[in-house]
Amino acid sequence: MRHSIVLFALVAGVTSPMLEAEPVTFTEHVAPIIFNNCTDCHRPGQGAPFSLTNFEEVRKRGKFIVDVTADRYMPPWHAASGGPAFKDERRLTEAQIETLRQWVASEMPEGDPTKLPSLPNFPEGWRLGTPDMVIEMSEAFDIPADGPDIYRNFVVTLALPEDKWLKAIDFRPSAPAVVHHSLFFLDETGEARKRDAEDDTPGFRRMPQRLERSGHLGGWALGGNALMLPDGMADKLPRNADFVFSTHFHPSGKPEKEKSVAALYFSDEPPTRRHSKVQLPPLFGALAAIDIPAGEKRYSKTDYFDVPVDVHAFLIGAHAHYLGKEMTMKATLPGGELLQLLRVDEWDFAWQEQYAYKEFVLLPKGTRIDSEIVWDNSSENPRNPANPPKRTKWGLESTDEMGSITIALSAVDQADSEALEAAIGEHRRESALRTFLANADQSEEGRGWMQRARTMFDQDKNGQFDPEERKLIREFLKGMGL
Ligand code: HEC
């Protein structure tokens, strides 16, 4: 990237006589870039801290804008290029970045006011059109002016007359300045409602693990897009389910009240295509014995999945906490060709985006999918919440760690769906077992678990788990709902 900037500077140098004849101006050159790539967030009522809607607002921050665009901090987009294209990619071209630089270097002339484009028509209503159902938190939740980040779960009773098929969820925070992200869950057990009733403050703090594992329906993050499932696909919304917003707040310096609203979109028809998600490593790494020594700059965990039938991949997203650094998922196709499915070089906890591929990505039977999550627990990681760094293990708090990449797949031939789902279940158990066996000796808990597993499953007491014994363990894990 550095090279191409230099190259552009050179090209700009060569062509400068022409540019002098036609200076870079706000109205003609800069406004179209800003209005189309920045203003959607940088306008009143959105998540960004200031507006970029006119000459004065942009001029005031000209130098800052050059810095944040040159290092691609803005517009925020954390997936590296190099794989299949994503929908609604937010990425400036090198030429656009160079235009901004030239404009600031030439003292930011406004230019001919008649050439100023009008602001784009930002959608007033929901981004996916009129929803079938709108749900809202029953009470507002108070976020203090400052203090640590807050995690809180809010239950909304849906009281549906019948089961529904969900195509999409869009989300609107009432206090966008403090809502970092919200994940959506379904609860058919009443457990969430029970926890909510335990005190007078709206919502409850800790999500029951059972819920965290089962009913995850995606989520919303700052700048996130509202995504419709591809044609023919839908998620079941059982009539007795409660909806849970699991929201992360970051105090902004002034007190705020949050009363989130979500729009639900239903399909009239039951789905004709099934889809499943593969998470590598599974359960956000819960069984991968994540235990990151203080100061460790590159701590990594890997996992893989052998694709059992031809599938289409359509959506991918990564998750980790503050120490997360790099995430990669790649496919090795049956012919040996490598395909980058997702690469995040500079993970930022504040942006929990999901990326939808522009087109279905075909992964033929026999493809191997590999993922690697890298954490940086050194003091060089500016996001490290501990100073000096602290040993960090897997856990639910944001100062604990977790990490995985999840990819959504649908069998090309729907008759293969069951085989796909069975393979995903088997992988989850096998990978849990494999990572557990490889890492059990790394922690106190792990050693305790290992001892119990030996007593239960090492039937011939040879100190190992032979293939037959591993099968028993997988059956046991299946019985535990894994
Ligand atoms: C998807 C929403 C979104 C888009 C699009 C976006 N921004 Fe931002 N921007 C934010 C948010 C949120 C913040 C504050 C949080 C942060 O710094 O990450 C921010 C912060 C900034 C900052 C301050 C950075 C700092 O270190 O404090 C600048 C400057 C900026 N944006 C410029 C731009 C420019 C220029 C563009 C377009 C090329 C752009 N942004 C596009 C959401 C957005």
Side-chain angles (χ1 to χ4, degrees):
M1 196 182 90
R2 209 92 320 161
H3 280 299
S4 41
I5 287 179
V6 172
L7 199 71
F8 265 102
L10 285 177
V11 172
V14 171
T15 56
S16 67
M18 209 184 83
L19 285 171
E20 259 162 43
E22 204 206 331
V24 178
T25 65
F26 178 76
T27 55
E28 199 171 344
H29 307 100
V30 170
I33 299 174
I34 300 288
F35 290 178
N36 291 316
N37 296 282
C38 318
T39 311
D40 190 16
C41 299
H42 287 271
R43 64 191 161 104
Q46 302 299 309
F50 49 84
S51 291
L52 296 173
T53 61
N54 58 41
F55 172 62
E56 210 30 57
E57 288 168 350
V58 177
R59 192 199 53 80
K60 220 162 56 192
R61 294 200 165 74
K63 179 121 194 4
F64 205 3
I65 288 173
V66 168
D67 291 345
V68 298
T69 52
D71 67 10
R72 294 194 177 276
Y73 182 66
M74 287 285 145
W77 182 258
H78 299 89
S81 51
F86 293 112
K87 275 184 195 151
D88 303 323
E89 215 155 315
R90 286 194 297 260
R91 203 168 243 295
L92 295 185
T93 63
E94 295 291 349
Q96 287 173 319
I97 295 171
E98 177 54 20
T99 300
L100 296 174
R101 196 198 60 75
Q102 280 185 17
W103 178 64
V104 171
S106 59
E107 318 225 309
M108 304 186 265
E110 180 170 11
D112 178 356
T114 65
K115 294 203 168 143
L116 181 71
S118 46
L119 285 173
N121 246 334
F122 296 112
E124 277 298 318
W126 293 99
R127 293 173 289 183
L128 298 172
T130 311
D132 295 297
M133 185 173 179
V134 174
I135 61 174
E136 184 171 21
M137 275 166 57
S138 55
E139 297 170 85
F141 176 69
D142 287 305
I143 300 98
D146 42 36
D149 286 15
I150 298 168
Y151 287 81
R152 196 90 190 159
N153 304 293
F154 307 98
V155 190
V156 180
T157 308
L158 297 179
L160 295 169
E162 60 196 355
D163 293 351
K164 293 283 183 191
W165 294 104
L166 197 57
K167 287 292 289 180
I169 303 172
D170 198 359
F171 175 87
R172 249 189 231 158
S174 65
V178 292
V179 176
H180 256 153
H181 69 256
S182 185
L183 302 178
F184 313 138
F185 293 87
L186 291 180
D187 179 21
E188 292 182 77
T189 66
E191 173 86 15
R193 231 188 275 181
K194 216 168 76 202
R195 295 227 178 170
D196 198 0
E198 279 168 11
D199 62 35
D200 287 342
T201 318
F204 61 97
R205 185 151 164 272
R206 224 176 225 279
M207 181 71 85
Q209 268 201 27
R210 196 152 39 103
L211 248 181
E212 177 125 43
R213 271 181 214 169
S214 56
H216 190 203
L217 277 179
W220 175 92
L222 217 53
N225 302 314
L227 298 166
M228 275 280 174
L229 278 173
D231 284 350
M233 295 186 208
D235 287 319
K236 188 166 182 182
L237 190 56
R239 54 177 281 278
N240 59 344
D242 288 335
F243 195 96
V244 183
F245 294 113
S246 181
T247 307
H248 169 202
F249 299 100
H250 185 69
S252 68
K254 72 181 213 290
E256 297 269 8
K257 279 186 185 300
E258 176 59 22
K259 199 164 184 235
S260 317
V261 183
L264 309 185
Y265 296 83
F266 301 141
S267 158
D268 296 334
E269 306 287 323
T272 51
R273 296 184 63 83
R274 280 156 70 167
H275 64 281
S276 332
K277 288 179 174 164
V278 184
Q279 201 182 59
L280 304 181
L283 306 178
F284 297 106
L287 293 166
I290 295 167
D291 184 355
I292 315 171
E296 172 85 47
K297 201 158 166 44
R298 278 191 76 84
Y299 180 87
S300 98
K301 290 286 177 192
T302 59
D303 193 15
Y304 67 89
F305 177 68
D306 290 313
V307 177
V309 298
D310 291 356
V311 297
H312 283 136
F314 60 93
L315 185 73
I316 191 164
H319 179 70
H321 294 170
Y322 293 108
L323 302 180
K325 184 74 181 169
E326 293 168 24
M327 279 99 150
T328 321
M329 185 177 271
K330 57 179 204 257
T332 309
L333 304 183
E337 192 194 331
L338 272 184
L339 182 66
Q340 173 186 301
L341 293 168
L342 179 69
R343 205 183 85 220
V344 175
D345 292 328
E346 202 52 57
W347 169 256
D348 183 343
F349 183 56
W351 299 89
Q352 308 267 340
E353 295 143 303
Q354 299 212 52
Y355 302 94
Y357 297 110
K358 227 176 197 161
E359 316 270 346
F360 280 157
V361 178
L362 174 67
L363 301 175
K365 172 180 177 167
T367 297
R368 172 177 155 133
I369 303 177
D370 276 279
S371 83
E372 182 180 26
I373 314 291
V374 178
W375 293 265
D376 178 353
N377 194 11
S378 73
S379 47
E380 284 162 54
N381 179 353
R383 299 189 179 94
N384 198 331
N387 179 23
K390 279 204 314 243
R391 173 183 176 189
T392 307
K393 297 204 272 182
W394 191 89
L396 297 175
E397 299 293 315
S398 61
T399 47
D400 302 324
E401 268 311 322
M402 33 173 90
S404 54
I405 300 181
T406 306
I407 187 163
L409 307 173
S410 180
V412 173
D413 180 347
Q414 284 292 294
D416 288 337
S417 295
E418 241 150 77
L420 173 62
E421 279 155 32
I424 291 173
E426 200 57 13
H427 161 267
R428 193 164 54 231
R429 293 182 285 275
E430 180 58 31
S431 135
L433 180 60
R434 190 169 23 137
T435 45
F436 171 69
L437 294 180
N439 296 295
D441 60 343
Q442 287 183 15
S443 70
E444 199 67 40
E445 284 142 281
R447 283 189 291 272
W449 276 96
M450 186 62 140
Q451 222 159 42
R452 266 169 280 167
R454 284 231 168 81
T455 322
M456 281 172 74
F457 300 108
D458 184 11
Q459 298 188 323
D460 55 9
K461 303 291 167 215
N462 68 349
Q464 292 176 16
F465 296 110
D466 309 320
E468 274 310 305
E469 292 164 355
R470 288 173 82 108
K471 224 156 110 190
L472 285 179
I473 303 181
R474 289 208 303 272
E475 281 305 313
F476 172 77
L477 292 175
K478 195 169 179 177
M480 301 275 290
L482 189 68

